[in-house]
Amino acid sequence: MRFVFADSIDTIDPLYDFVADRNGLGRLVHRDDQYPHEFLEKAPYDGILISRAIVGDAAFPGKYSEAQMMRFRREGARKFLRYPLAKFPDSMLVGDCGAFNYRNLPEPPYHADDTAEFYADAGFTHGCSPDHVIFDFDEVGLVRRFRDVPVDVRRRFEITQQNAVEFLKVAKKIGKDFTPMGVIQGWSADSMADAAMNLVKMGYRYLAIGGTVPLKIDQIQRVLSTLRSAIPSRIRLHLLGFGKIEELAVLERNKVNSFDTTSPLLRAFKDAKKNYWVRNSSGELSYYTAIRIPQATENNKLKQKACEGSLNQEVARRLESAALEGVRDYAARKAGLEECLDAVMDYWVALNWDADPSMTSRSQAALRQREVYARTLSERPWEGCDCRVCREAGVEAVIFRTSNRNKRRGIHNLHVFHTHLNQFREELA
């Protein structure tokens, strides 16, 4: 089972100055910033997935700038990502259309011909047929046949199936080193199984399961077991956008060959609590909450308070500086835990005091937050990790502040997760 990282230009500046909060002198983003597989000594994934909707084009703008988009198409994905096959042998390079990005359109902005051209130009090893995501999913006990579901659901199902037919024909022109992946969409486990059997009959040997991001793990389990019962065992399965990565055993039981996710990186700065990952003594993933110390002059909430006159900006800067100094002094064993927490929470209260009009509720919230931060700081998890992020950044890795810090923590999480997955695979061998 292989882990494919879904990238959207998740790079960091290796020369970022944490104390001054600025990038290295003369930094040029594409030239100097590094991807996780460049920054770490070993790639923290088995492949990379790039969505066409993230790259973008004239018809459907993506996250890439025009210059980046043109360079990507001209150089190919491996050169653009600096992910050469010689250095990363047997690595997967997967393309998909990014159906979630165009979910509100009546039909995909891409067709079989131009999608195959995109995959060929980029040099992908695997590529998904253009699909249209279905979010409607049956609860247990509800059985809806094709004629029972809404017209929009039926249309999305038919578009996905027809695109798969057309894509397989043109994909053969890309070459023998390219593997087309037929995408499965459906409103139930049974409808997905029907879609999968159709794809197998078309000639697909690798299927990608879409539309599972909002599903609960028991629903995903139901889909996977139904699919495996319906299709030949030789057919490989890829799970698109699998965020519930603590449930690797579910994938293994159902013989999932690969999955993609951004979860370890995204949770570093989008999760309320699970920001910094470790493998505990039992070999399970465990999590810490990062210490939020936003930039006083950049944080929107603090700027709004300054405009309203409810918080003096100079006071905010002093509190910010004291919080940073407190954490760094504690990490260097120059200050005690309580002294550090006092400084951090003074800034936290200034940032959040008007979130609830009840003084009692505010006090309770502050106490809960202090306890959460106390666990992160007292257990010093950054000292027990040997990845490059933690070796070089130290306690900065657990400070929630600026993209370069937060993405570094995400890269650390990728390292921890890939280590965890490798151990999981070894135990199964």
Side-chain angles (χ1 to χ4, degrees):
M1 183 165 55
R2 307 174 79 184
F3 162 41
V4 178
F5 175 58
D7 181 79
S8 62
I9 318 184
D10 296 304
T11 59
I12 59 169
D13 178 2
L15 300 180
Y16 189 80
D17 186 330
F18 298 112
V19 175
D21 270 323
R22 66 186 179 201
N23 293 109
L25 295 176
R27 170 215 185 203
L28 291 176
V29 175
H30 187 72
R31 183 193 69 189
D32 299 322
D33 281 16
Q34 294 183 344
Y35 291 94
H37 55 270
E38 293 182 289
F39 186 77
L40 297 177
E41 288 84 357
K42 184 178 179 182
Y45 31 72
D46 307 308
I48 298 177
L49 178 142
I50 299 291
S51 288
R52 188 178 177 189
I54 294 293
V55 176
D57 54 29
F60 192 83
K63 185 174 180 179
Y64 283 35
S65 67
E66 185 176 357
Q68 288 172 324
M69 177 186 69
M70 293 176 66
R71 186 186 300 119
F72 182 89
R73 294 294 291 260
R74 183 176 64 252
E75 297 179 342
R78 286 203 182 272
K79 186 173 181 180
F80 182 88
L81 298 168
R82 297 188 288 274
Y83 192 60
L85 195 59
K87 187 175 180 180
F88 304 99
D90 199 36
S91 57
M92 296 177 71
L93 198 57
V94 184
D96 77 354
C97 288
F100 186 82
N101 296 75
Y102 54 79
R103 63 193 180 279
N104 294 325
L105 296 181
E107 59 184 49
Y110 311 125
H111 304 286
D113 288 341
D114 54 71
T115 298
E117 182 182 352
F118 173 76
Y119 293 156
D121 288 348
F124 286 108
T125 62
H126 299 71
C128 297
S129 57
D131 61 319
H132 213 13
V133 66
I134 294 174
F135 290 112
D136 193 338
F137 194 81
D138 289 350
E139 296 297 328
V140 175
L142 177 63
V143 179
R144 290 185 298 171
R145 289 167 293 183
F146 184 78
R147 65 172 181 266
D148 299 325
V149 297
V151 172
D152 180 62
V153 173
R154 295 203 301 268
R155 177 165 170 74
R156 286 168 180 262
F157 183 89
E158 290 175 330
I159 286 173
T160 300
Q161 289 276 293
Q162 184 57 39
N163 281 347
V165 172
E166 296 170 3
F167 177 71
L168 189 59
K169 294 177 183 176
V170 294
K172 293 176 181 178
K173 301 175 184 177
I174 298 177
K176 61 181 178 59
D177 294 328
F178 176 77
T179 300
M181 303 172 81
V183 178
I184 299 167
Q185 291 285 352
W187 60 91
S188 64
D190 288 339
S191 65
M192 287 186 167
D194 289 341
M197 287 188 288
N198 289 339
L199 292 169
V200 172
K201 291 175 183 176
M202 292 176 202
Y204 283 98
R205 297 296 175 262
Y206 212 140
L207 308 183
I209 309 166
T212 64
V213 172
L215 301 188
K216 298 176 182 177
I217 191 61
D218 62 312
Q219 293 174 311
I220 294 174
Q221 161 68 36
R222 185 154 35 106
V223 168
L224 292 175
S225 62
T226 305
L227 287 178
R228 272 301 173 207
S229 298
I231 61 176
S233 58
R234 59 182 168 78
I235 301 299
R236 290 174 289 172
L237 289 177
H238 177 91
L239 192 55
L240 290 162
F242 182 64
K244 299 166 181 64
I245 52 182
E246 294 86 351
E247 305 288 350
L248 292 176
V250 171
L251 305 193
E252 179 59 32
R253 281 199 303 272
N254 291 282
K255 298 181 175 58
V256 172
N257 301 89
S258 55
F259 66 93
D260 68 85
T261 187
T262 57
S263 186
L265 186 132
L266 288 182
R267 288 197 207 175
F269 48 89
K270 287 196 172 182
D271 197 284
K273 296 180 179 180
K274 298 178 179 181
N275 308 127
Y276 180 95
W277 297 19
V278 299
R279 286 190 86 237
N280 60 30
S281 57
S282 301
E284 299 173 336
L285 292 174
S286 184
Y287 312 95
Y288 290 90
T289 302
I291 313 300
R292 292 176 181 261
I293 309 178
Q295 291 176 298
T297 56
E298 300 294 331
N299 183 264
N300 289 332
K301 188 182 290 187
L302 288 173
K303 286 194 288 187
Q304 180 64 31
K305 286 175 178 287
C307 290
E308 294 171 349
S310 59
L311 178 64
N312 182 280
Q313 205 163 35
E314 186 57 40
V315 171
R317 280 197 291 263
R318 287 201 298 269
L319 291 171
E320 171 198 19
S321 179
L324 286 169
E325 184 178 347
V327 170
R328 288 165 179 162
D329 284 351
Y330 171 76
R333 291 178 166 77
K334 296 178 181 177
L337 177 61
E338 296 305 317
E339 180 183 353
C340 170
L341 287 169
D342 286 344
V344 168
M345 291 308 300
D346 283 345
Y347 191 39
W348 186 90
V349 169
L351 183 65
N352 296 282
W353 69 269
D354 60 350
D356 191 309
S358 165
M359 182 61 72
T360 301
S361 296
R362 288 205 301 269
S363 298
Q364 291 174 346
L367 181 60
R368 288 194 299 269
Q369 194 66 37
R370 188 183 181 102
E371 291 173 348
V372 169
Y373 285 168
R375 174 176 175 263
T376 299
L377 291 165
S378 65
E379 296 187 16
R380 297 174 173 266
W382 64 90
E383 294 183 349
C385 180
D386 64 352
C387 80
R388 183 181 172 186
V389 171
C390 297
R391 292 199 315 268
E392 294 184 359
V395 73
E396 305 291 338
V398 298
I399 296 178
F400 196 118
R401 174 186 176 88
T402 71
S403 176
N404 257 284
R405 270 192 191 80
N406 296 338
K407 284 192 175 180
R408 264 178 173 75
R409 187 167 54 255
I411 290 175
H412 154 85
N413 291 348
L414 286 169
H415 162 78
V416 171
F417 176 68
H418 198 229
T419 301
H420 177 70
L421 176 60
N422 284 336
Q423 186 62 41
F424 179 82
R425 292 187 287 212
E426 287 176 12
E427 291 172 358
L428 293 171

